[in-house]
């Protein structure tokens, strides 16, 4: 049996032997996909072309990357790969029957999977036919498939394996790993002690060692204890497991993982993570009420459906006929399943000219210099997304009636409405425990995550994230001594508190609350929702007022004291991002959203918030660090040592989030808390200020193995001392715990410079012999001389674009639902003189933009 091979569209007959000979030179480059290979057969690495596109998709038979027609030549030139599998989906009009209707007709079964049916075509009138060909570059030889009898066996196997390969985004689909967990055998019969224990929504710590991370709530007696200590430095001291061995209480839930959808539960008896079908009941026993947090499919609480309907209608402008928008800048994004937070943020980001120029303007250069796997390159995927949103290529109006003759042709060209950002989401969320999941997320947290990635992946001479960057002056005052300290930090978001006490409709709110309670008690329909109306000026005033500093240590008094802090702008950014702090937790553990209406201004002037620095008559607090208190108990001291001094320590997430909320990159915050020994956000903040201009400032924290010493970013700890003496940094750590220097040196020498073993050696040798080492004096002099020499870079200060503090509103992101863990996000942007609503794939002219209900607002500076 013979098949036809086409050469640039020309006809040429080839025998089976000729096909085999034609492919022989390329056989070493043809691979069969293995289980770990990612096969991109549904989306181009550089564009949103797919087999549905006019030119189809070319999949490299070596790398399994997919390329649209305009990008395939680039990959061929860069790699020299010649053999590609060309995939094309044809949309065919069904043949009309005698009665005038369309007859169902299928010519071929589908050759490849994971393609969705175009939503703008009527499946009763059209059918789909998939086609696959082998294409050999540079001459564009085409070999139609299937061609089993004429192709070499390896090629046939490779083609079949590629066509049947699973999507590389399978892990993002709703059938996540959580479904594989089995229900615990203890869940149904779990006994819970009636001991009156109630768990607060925050501020937890291990009841045995005061650790504040990796904490587990025992579901029998309510004990909060730390998890296991792992060799990578994570975990705790294993008190939760010890408690199980002492009591036999089998189930525990990890604090911090509790959501309306469930929580992470571990069975000590079964030695594996499990499902607890009765988790809501078990948590309610300790005051954690999940029953009221149960959400329906659309993200609403069952008892909140009626009052929340109005919010969904208002923000999405339901009930109003909106005119669809098409063309460049009006491209929608498909919701991949709770990915509306990403869609809303990226629409806002690529409405900013600096981001457009950085990625879309530099697109040819970014694509030409992309790595061999462009799916794993941040700048490539940003340029791809920006081009997809701004080119208009994927936002074309539907066919008009006067063009109906095109539909009558044998092949119909489907309209591409919107893009599916699967590749972008897969890459940008890789390694992130929340964004890589299929759960709803906070748009503000994703915005900061994106800025962090932009900072870590520079493109061109200017970083587009600089348009959001500004400096904040923080003035901290000791209330007793009246002395002050001025510090500066970098931020990207202005966070405005909601001044509920300033509501202008308090009487209406009181009356609504009474009616709501009466309706609930009588099981009647709830009254129409009344929102608190908050003046924007009150929120701005609350931002500028002093706030109390928790656990403040006054260097003037050398003791803890009351302190207050005020924030001002050292510089004003080009684009001001304002977040309304609507989300909070109640004492009953229920995430609450402050459902308020704020009269956000179109024009904003915050010039009066400009920082002034140290004023005449003010006296600065002494630059003295708080003392480190070392426990007397040797075992507790060892735990303290592990917790605060070893490089393999737990990281206080609360301090990390405090710093991240200031706008610093997440990894930089982790390193700051890590290298300052969990001593709190204030100490970590000082570390950030000292290291923020270092080239690896925002690089991920690399935690070495337990007992090793890591680099602090300013200088490497653990450098080998003179004459094979223990590293001075290790010696200093042990001395800081209250031990003598000679004892520290002797212990480190006896344990080959292993910190943990050195401590154990000290505890087991309470009276060691004095060591007189003539090299110690030399080492002391050398280390003292170099102790303060750090690898400082020539800093010119943080990159800022200061200017006037007058702004105009051009966009806002709104949230519908009860918490950031559920609901829906929508973006409104002002373009070409009118407001446009971006609701996932739906892009329309806005008729009534709900500017008073936004969550994140975007302002552009007004030129002076």
């Amino acid at each position: 049996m013979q098949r036809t091979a086409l050469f640039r569209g020309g006809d040429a007959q080839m025998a089976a032997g000729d096909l085999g000979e034609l492919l022989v030179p390329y056989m070493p480059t043809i691979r069969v996909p293995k289980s770990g290979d990612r096969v991109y057969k549904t989306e181009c690495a550089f564009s949103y072309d797919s087999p549905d596109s006019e030119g189809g998709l070319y999949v490299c038979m070596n790398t399994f990357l997919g390329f649209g027609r305009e990008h395939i030549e680039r990959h061929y030139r860069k790699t020299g790969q010649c053999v590609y599998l060309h995939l094309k989906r044809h949309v065919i009009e069904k043949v009309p029957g005698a009665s005038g209707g369309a007859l169902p007709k299928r010519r071929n079964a589908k050759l490849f999977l994971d393609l969705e049916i175009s939503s703008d075509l009527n499946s009763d009138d059209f059918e789909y036919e998939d086609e696959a060909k082998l294409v050999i570059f540079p001459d564009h030889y085409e070999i139609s498939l299937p061609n089993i009898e004429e192709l070499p066996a390896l090629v046939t196997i490779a083609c079949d394996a590629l066509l049947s390969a699973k999507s590389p985004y399978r892990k993002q689909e709703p059938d996540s790993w959580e479904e594989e967990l089995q229900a615990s055998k203890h869940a149904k019969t779990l006994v819970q002690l009636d001991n009156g224990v109630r768990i607060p929504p925050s501020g937890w710590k291990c009841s045995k060692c005061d650790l504040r991370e990796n904490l587990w709530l025992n579901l029998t007696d309510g004990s909060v204890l730390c998890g296991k200590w792992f060799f990578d430095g994570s975990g705790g001291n294993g008190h939760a497991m010890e408690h199980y061995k002492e009591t036999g209480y089998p189930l525990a839930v990890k604090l911090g993982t509790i959501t309306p959808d469930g929580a992470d539960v571990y069975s000590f008896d079964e030695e594996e993570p499990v499902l607890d079908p009765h988790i809501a009941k078990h948590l309610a026993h300790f005051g954690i009420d999940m029953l009221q947090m149960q959400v329906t499919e659309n993200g609403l609480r069952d008892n909140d459906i009626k009052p929340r309907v109005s919010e969904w209608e208002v923000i999405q402008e339901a009930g109003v006929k909106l005119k669809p928008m098409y063309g460049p800048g009006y491209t929608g994004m498909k919701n991949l399943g709770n990915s509306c937070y990403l869609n809303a943020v990226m629409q806002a980001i690529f409405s900013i000219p600096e981001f457009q120029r950085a990625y879309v303007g530099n697109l040819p250069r970014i694509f030409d210099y992309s790595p061999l796997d462009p799916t794993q390159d941040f700048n490539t995927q940003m340029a791809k997304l920006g081009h997809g949103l701004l080119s208009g290529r994927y936002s074309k109006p539907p066919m008009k009636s006067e063009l109906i003759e095109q539909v009558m042709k044998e092949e119909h060209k489907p309209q591409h409405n919107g893009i599916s950002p699967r590749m972008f989401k897969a890459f940008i969320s890789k390694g992130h425990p929340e964004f890589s999941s299929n759960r709803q997320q906070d748009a503000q947290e994703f915005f900061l995550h994106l800025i962090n990635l932009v900072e870590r992946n520079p493109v061109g001479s200017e970083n587009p994230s600089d348009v959001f960057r500004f400096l904040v002056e923080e003035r901290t005052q000791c209330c007793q001594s009246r002395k002050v300290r001025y510090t500066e930090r970098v931020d990207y978001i202005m966070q405005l508190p909601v001044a509920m006490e300033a509501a202008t409709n308090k009487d209406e709110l009181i009356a609504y609350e009474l009616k709501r309670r009466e309706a609930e008690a009588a099981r009647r329909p709830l009254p129409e929702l009344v929102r608190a109306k908050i003046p924007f000026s009150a929120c701005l005033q609350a931002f500028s007022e002093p706030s109390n500093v928790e656990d403040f240590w006054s260097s003037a008094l050398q003791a803890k004291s009351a302190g207050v802090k005020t924030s001002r702008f050292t510089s004003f950014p080009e684009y001001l991002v304002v977040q309304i702090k609507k989300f909070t937790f109640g004492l009953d553990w229920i995430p609450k959203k402050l459902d308020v209406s704020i009269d956000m201004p179109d024009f904003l002037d915050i010039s009066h918030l400009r920082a002034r620095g140290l004023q005449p008559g003010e006296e600065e607090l002494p630059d003295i660090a708080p003392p480190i208190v070392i426990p007397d108990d040797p075992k507790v001291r060892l735990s303290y040592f592990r917790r605060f001094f070893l490089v393999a320590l737990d990281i206080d997430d609360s301090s990390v989030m405090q710093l991240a909320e200031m706008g610093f990159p997440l990894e930089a915050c982790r390193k700051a808390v890590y290298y300052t020994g969990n001593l709190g956000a204030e100490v970590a903040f000082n570390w950030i200020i000292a290291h923020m201009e270092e080239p690896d400032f925002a690089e991920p924290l690399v935690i070495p193995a337990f007992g090793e010493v890591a680099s602090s970013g300013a200088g490497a700890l653990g450098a080998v001392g003179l004459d094979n003496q223990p590293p001075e940094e290790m010696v200093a750590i042990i001395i800081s715990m209250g031990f003598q220097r000679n004892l520290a040196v002797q212990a480190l020498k006896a344990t080959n410079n292993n910190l943990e073993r050195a401590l154990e050696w000290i505890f087991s040798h309470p009276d060691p012999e004095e060591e007189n080492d003539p090299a110690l004096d030399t080492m002391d002099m050398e280390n003292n001389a170099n102790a303060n020499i750090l690898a400082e870079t020539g800093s010119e200060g943080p990159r800022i674009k200061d200017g006037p503090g007058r702004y105009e509103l051009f966009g806002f992101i709104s949230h519908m639902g009860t918490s950031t863990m559920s609901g829906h996000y929508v973006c409104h942007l002002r373009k070409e003189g009118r407001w446009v609503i971006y609701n996932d794939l739906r892009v329309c002219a806005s008729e009534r933009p709900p500017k008073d209900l936004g969550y994140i607002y975007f302002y552009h500076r007004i030129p002076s």
Side-chain angles (χ1 to χ4, degrees), residues 317-339:
E317 302 187 55
V320 180
K321 188 174 181 179
L322 302 180
K323 178 185 177 182
M325 304 289 290
Y326 300 98
Y330 299 105
T331 304
M333 298 174 68
K334 182 180 178 181
N335 192 324
L336 306 176
N338 291 326
S339 65

Side-chain angles (χ1 to χ4, degrees), residues 564-584:
V564 294
K565 180 175 65 176
T566 55
S567 299
R568 294 292 185 271
F569 287 81
T570 303
S571 66
F572 293 117
E574 183 73 19
Y575 289 83
L576 178 67
V577 182
V578 179
Q579 177 199 12
I580 306 299
K581 300 176 70 174
K582 291 186 174 184
F583 298 101
T584 182

Side-chain angles (χ1 to χ4, degrees), residues 476-713:
T476 306
Q477 183 174 34
C478 172
C479 295
Q480 188 170 342
S481 69
R482 312 302 297 175
K483 295 183 180 182
V484 298
R485 173 181 295 116
Y486 284 86
T487 57
E488 284 187 351
R489 60 177 173 84
V490 174
D491 213 334
Y492 296 91
I493 293 182
M494 179 185 187
Q495 294 182 310
L496 281 187
V498 178
M500 292 296 294
E501 69 281 357
T504 59
N505 59 338
K506 293 181 180 178
D507 292 340
E508 294 179 56
L509 292 172
I510 294 173
Y512 164 76
E513 185 62 22
L514 290 175
K515 292 180 180 179
R516 187 186 67 82
R517 291 181 181 179
E518 291 174 358
E520 287 182 349
R523 296 186 177 275
R524 296 196 308 265
L526 298 179
E528 184 177 351
L529 178 69
V530 176
R531 290 190 181 87
K533 296 180 180 179
I534 312 295
F536 173 77
S537 57
C539 298
L540 199 60
Q541 178 64 28
F543 171 84
S544 62
E545 289 178 349
S547 60
N548 293 326
V549 180
E550 294 184 8
D551 206 28
F552 176 70
W553 186 85
S554 172
S555 58
L557 304 176
Q558 298 285 297
K560 289 187 177 182
S561 173
V564 294
K565 180 175 65 176
T566 55
S567 299
R568 294 292 185 271
F569 287 81
T570 303
S571 66
F572 293 117
E574 183 73 19
Y575 289 83
L576 178 67
V577 182
V578 179
Q579 177 199 12
I580 306 299
K581 300 176 70 174
K582 291 186 174 184
F583 298 101
T584 182
F585 275 94
L587 294 178
D588 54 3
W589 268 80
I590 299 176
K592 294 183 178 180
K593 176 182 176 181
L594 303 177
D595 198 348
V596 296
S597 171
I598 301 177
D599 59 336
M600 296 297 293
D602 288 324
F603 297 92
L604 173 63
D605 190 345
I606 56 172
S607 302
H608 64 285
L609 295 178
R610 171 78 72 171
R612 297 180 297 171
L614 187 68
Q615 296 297 296
E618 291 183 333
E619 185 177 354
E620 290 189 273
L621 285 163
D623 189 13
I624 301 174
I628 299 175
V629 180
I630 307 297
D632 295 329
D633 188 333
K635 291 185 177 180
V636 178
R637 186 182 298 179
L638 177 58
S639 175
Y640 182 89
F641 171 73
R642 283 174 168 168
R643 178 180 173 191
F644 290 108
F645 292 100
L646 282 185
V647 292
L649 48 73
D650 285 327
I651 298 176
D652 180 9
D653 281 346
S654 62
S655 296
V656 172
M657 294 313 299
Q658 287 184 52
L659 297 170
E661 288 175 356
M662 298 178 186
F664 298 116
L666 181 61
E667 289 297 336
C669 299
R670 285 172 51 79
K671 290 202 292 189
V673 175
Y674 176 84
Y675 289 125
T676 55
N678 283 342
L679 292 178
E682 185 174 355
V683 178
F685 172 77
N686 294 331
W687 185 96
I688 287 180
I689 296 301
H691 297 83
M692 64 191 310
E693 292 304 318
E694 294 177 1
D696 62 345
F697 174 67
E699 291 298 316
L701 171 64
V702 178
I703 300 180
F706 189 80
E708 296 180 1
V709 183
S711 169
S712 68

Side-chain angles (χ1 to χ4, degrees), residues 4 8 36 67 175 183 208 218 246 264 440 495 521 526 772 851:
T4 301
R8 296 191 183 277
F67 303 96
D175 53 337
K208 291 189 177 181
N218 190 286
E246 295 170 0
D264 292 350
Q440 185 63 277
Q495 294 182 310
L526 298 179
N772 295 320
K851 290 182 284 187

Side-chain angles (χ1 to χ4, degrees), residues 49 119 392 477 703 721 815:
D49 285 352
S119 61
Q477 183 174 34
I703 300 180
H815 175 267

Side-chain angles (χ1 to χ4, degrees), residues 177 180-183 216 264-267 270-275:
W177 62 270
E180 299 175 2
L181 298 180
Q182 301 298 316
W216 293 78
D264 292 350
V265 180
Y266 187 83
S267 172
E270 296 160 281
E271 297 183 348
E272 63 179 353
V274 295
L275 290 178

